[in-house]
Amino acid sequence: MTLLMDLSMRSSIMLLLGLALEAVLAHRSAALRHWVLATALFAAAAVVPLTLLLPAMEISMPAPNTPVPQALPAVSAVPPGGSSPGRPGKRRDAVLSFFTVVWAAGVMAGAAVTLSAIRRLIRIGSRAERVQDPLWTSTTARVAASYGLTREVVILQTGTSDLLATWGWLHPRVLLPWHATDWQEDRIHAVLCHELAHIKRHDWLVQTGAEWLRTVCWFNPLMWIVCTHLRRTSEQACDDAVLDRGVSAREYAVHLLEVARRCRPGSAWASAVPMVRPSTLERRIAAMLNPGLNRKTPSYRAIGATAVLLVAIAVPTAALRTGQTAPASLSGSVYDTSGAVLPGVALTLEDASQKKWQATTDAAGRFDFAGIQPGRYVLAASLAGFRPLGHEFELQNSRDWDRAITLQVGELRETIHVRGQRVAPRQPSQPQGAKPIRVGGNIRVPMKEVDVRPTYPPTMRDAGREGVVPLEAIIGHDGTVTFVRVLSAQVHPDFAIAAVDAVRQWKFSPTLLNGVPVEVVMTVSVRFDLAD
């Protein structure tokens, strides 16, 4: 599981808890329910740093150790040093990369919309005029004093007809539409009671933070639900504050309807706290006309209790780690490239502290290392006739404890000494026949059928020069040498040409792996030296 999905699941636990508490507190005040949702939302955000900083509390869960089916060894086999292109791990990584790109694109799109709205508000606010009307200023001062506000509240009249909102935290501003100067005193009082209630409750800061969290977690439907409920309870809590200031419910409902008729805010004001939204207006009016609703301001005891409860759940949610118990042993099978099992393969497992375990495959090609814990290891495998394997891997998930290994056919090696007299004509040396090497896995080693000895270059003999030519040759399915290359740049061209010309003419019997001809790589070292 990726880190992003893990943190998203942990955060979702806190969001679900907040929604559940809101439902339980349905008969309590909107202010208390808003506090619960806000605390749950930011507890969900706090899970991210807490997960990275808190020590892990591990809980292990048993998991079955399912062996790889023996009827399909070729499917389970992997080449040494990595995975084949069609393995599920490769596909899973590709899918995760795709969803990471989609998530990043969604975050950038959401951030662009939010920043655009903020920029528009800043532009409109910079062009707005501060309201100096004594009726507005005196009413603002009176309402601010009733809320106990010490921050200066600036009332600005904008050139728009649909913007009535609170914006800003340390320096709050109430943005009014251009037609607000026509309002009567009772409407001014009701509107300012609502907007200054937002400022008192720090709703702009809470809602803006929620919008940015939703931008990051746009893929999580719980985040959208919580943000919607948060905005709804915020407006209801401010409506309750207006009624608590002596404004009658029916009078306030009339003012709200008239303001909604003149101001129809759209999505452009998402970064502000608008007073009227058509989508919530009916619910708010029904609530304010319901005399049985609880409109009390939550006590400090209730606020503290909900905060302590959510924090107490957030900490273990962030620290908890669950994982499957590792199987009792690391086991697997070893195959050759034809899919047949290989018995007698010597394996060595080494951990980061250089502790080593030894094992040998049985007649069915199976091996077993007992008591291997999660971590990073290096597995080495060797068998005569095959290339040695060195594979580093990490044991983490339960499926990692069953391995499938494929050994490649090994290389043939031959060293040839070409000796010549310094002045006298070259005495041909006796040809050496290729010696078969001992291999396993039902390999028939190629035998050299045609041997051509390299000729000492006369120019090099006359110049008294000696040298060694390292070559790599490929013996094809029919036993002919299909490819030869020089492995070192520090070789005189005359020596290289002589060695390559000779090796190209060699012919071998086909190399058979389980009765099937295969190519094999051969390393040849041709030494040219002069006898005194």
Side-chain angles (χ1 to χ4, degrees):
M1 181 182 297
T2 63
L3 179 61
L4 177 63
M5 295 304 298
D6 180 57
L7 295 177
S8 177
M9 292 184 62
R10 295 174 190 274
S11 300
S12 296
I13 294 176
M14 303 308 303
L15 297 177
L16 281 173
L17 179 61
L19 291 172
L21 285 177
E22 185 204 15
V24 171
L25 301 173
H27 298 291
R28 301 296 296 272
S29 66
L32 178 60
R33 288 182 282 119
H34 180 268
W35 167 255
V36 169
L37 289 173
T39 306
L41 186 66
F42 290 102
V47 165
V48 176
L50 289 176
T51 300
L52 302 177
L53 296 177
L54 289 177
M57 297 189 301
E58 298 285 349
I59 296 181
S60 297
M61 301 177 64
N65 183 14
T66 304
V68 176
Q70 294 302 306
L72 300 172
V75 175
S76 300
V78 297
S83 301
S84 63
R87 285 183 61 83
K90 292 283 188 179
R91 293 193 296 269
R92 183 173 61 252
D93 292 343
V95 171
L96 291 177
S97 299
F98 170 76
F99 280 110
T100 300
V101 172
V102 172
W103 168 77
V107 171
M108 290 188 291
V113 172
T114 303
L115 291 174
S116 176
I118 292 176
R119 185 179 63 178
R120 186 179 179 189
L121 277 173
I122 293 175
R123 185 175 68 252
I124 292 176
S126 64
R127 298 174 180 176
E129 296 181 0
R130 184 165 183 168
V131 176
Q132 301 292 345
D133 189 324
L135 179 59
W136 280 93
T137 56
S138 60
T139 305
T140 301
R142 186 170 65 254
V143 175
S146 68
Y147 283 125
L149 287 174
T150 58
R151 289 170 290 168
E152 181 186 9
V153 180
V154 178
I155 309 298
L156 298 175
Q157 184 177 15
T158 68
T160 64
S161 61
D162 61 346
L163 180 56
L164 173 57
T166 299
W167 185 55
W169 178 47
L170 295 178
H171 304 285
R173 291 167 172 78
V174 177
L175 304 176
L176 303 175
W178 62 266
H179 52 78
T181 54
D182 299 334
W183 294 350
Q184 299 298 320
E185 182 177 0
D186 53 350
R187 182 168 299 170
I188 293 174
H189 179 261
V191 169
L192 288 178
C193 284
H194 183 95
E195 297 302 327
L196 268 64
H198 279 306
I199 296 174
K200 171 66 176 179
R201 293 163 37 81
H202 306 285
D203 284 342
W204 180 86
L205 180 64
V206 173
Q207 196 65 42
T208 301
E211 295 294 337
W212 281 110
L213 288 176
R214 187 177 65 180
T215 299
V216 175
C217 299
W218 61 267
F219 58 89
N220 191 342
L222 290 175
M223 187 66 71
W224 291 81
I225 295 173
V226 170
C227 286
T228 300
H229 286 214
L230 190 71
R231 189 180 290 276
R232 181 188 305 163
T233 54
S234 169
E235 295 301 326
Q236 291 182 5
C238 291
D239 290 340
D240 292 341
V242 174
L243 300 179
D244 190 50
R245 293 299 178 276
V247 180
S248 68
R250 292 184 179 276
E251 179 186 353
Y252 183 46
V254 171
H255 291 315
L256 198 61
L257 285 172
E258 182 60 24
V259 171
R261 187 181 67 83
R262 301 289 300 273
C263 303
R264 296 181 180 273
S267 59
W269 316 123
S271 57
V273 186
M275 179 177 177
V276 287
R277 283 180 176 268
S279 59
T280 61
L281 190 59
E282 182 179 355
R283 184 190 299 266
R284 290 171 58 190
I285 292 177
M288 70 179 63
L289 295 177
N290 185 354
L293 290 183
N294 186 337
R295 308 184 192 280
K296 294 181 180 179
T297 302
S299 64
Y300 289 111
R301 177 179 297 180
I303 291 175
T306 55
V308 170
L309 173 64
L310 291 171
V311 170
I313 297 176
V315 171
T317 300
L320 191 64
R321 305 287 190 276
T322 59
Q324 295 178 330
T325 304
S329 63
L330 172 65
S331 59
S333 300
V334 182
Y335 307 96
D336 60 24
T337 54
S338 69
V341 298
L342 289 177
V345 179
L347 298 107
T348 302
L349 185 68
E350 182 177 352
D351 62 10
S353 64
Q354 297 185 345
K355 181 180 179 180
K356 295 184 179 181
W357 294 263
Q358 305 287 337
T360 303
T361 56
D362 58 18
R366 296 287 296 176
F367 64 89
D368 184 89
F369 294 98
I372 304 302
Q373 299 300 317
R376 184 167 292 276
Y377 294 86
V378 175
L379 179 66
S382 62
L383 181 65
F386 292 86
R387 294 182 184 179
L389 170 74
H391 178 50
E392 183 177 1
F393 58 92
E394 185 172 4
L395 296 178
Q396 185 175 3
N397 300 317
S398 60
R399 61 179 177 272
D400 297 336
W401 268 258
D402 193 277
R403 317 296 297 185
I405 301 172
T406 298
L407 294 184
Q408 302 293 328
V409 177
E411 298 178 351
L412 297 176
R413 296 180 181 272
E414 181 169 345
T415 301
I416 299 176
H417 290 266
V418 181
R419 184 179 297 274
Q421 296 294 330
R422 294 188 180 276
V423 177
R426 181 179 64 85
Q427 298 294 328
S429 57
Q430 295 296 323
Q432 293 183 347
K435 297 181 178 180
I437 59 174
R438 179 180 177 275
V439 295
N442 296 321
I443 291 181
R444 193 180 77 181
V445 181
M447 300 294 296
K448 186 184 290 186
E449 297 176 348
V450 176
D451 184 23
V452 178
R453 301 294 299 177
T455 302
Y456 208 115
T459 55
M460 297 293 99
R461 184 186 63 240
D462 296 342
R465 291 192 176 185
E466 299 176 330
V468 178
V469 183
L471 301 174
E472 182 180 78
I474 296 179
I475 303 174
H477 297 82
D478 58 354
T480 61
V481 177
T482 60
F483 175 79
V484 182
R485 69 185 181 101
V486 180
L487 299 178
S488 174
Q490 308 298 321
V491 176
H492 194 280
D494 290 351
F495 284 137
I497 292 173
V500 170
D501 286 345
V503 173
R504 283 187 185 276
Q505 302 176 61
W506 291 355
K507 179 152 180 78
F508 296 82
S509 61
T511 303
L512 300 180
L513 174 60
N514 300 322
V516 179
V518 295
E519 288 187 343
V520 64
V521 179
M522 180 177 188
T523 301
V524 182
S525 179
V526 181
R527 179 181 297 276
F528 293 90
D529 56 19
L530 296 172
D532 294 330

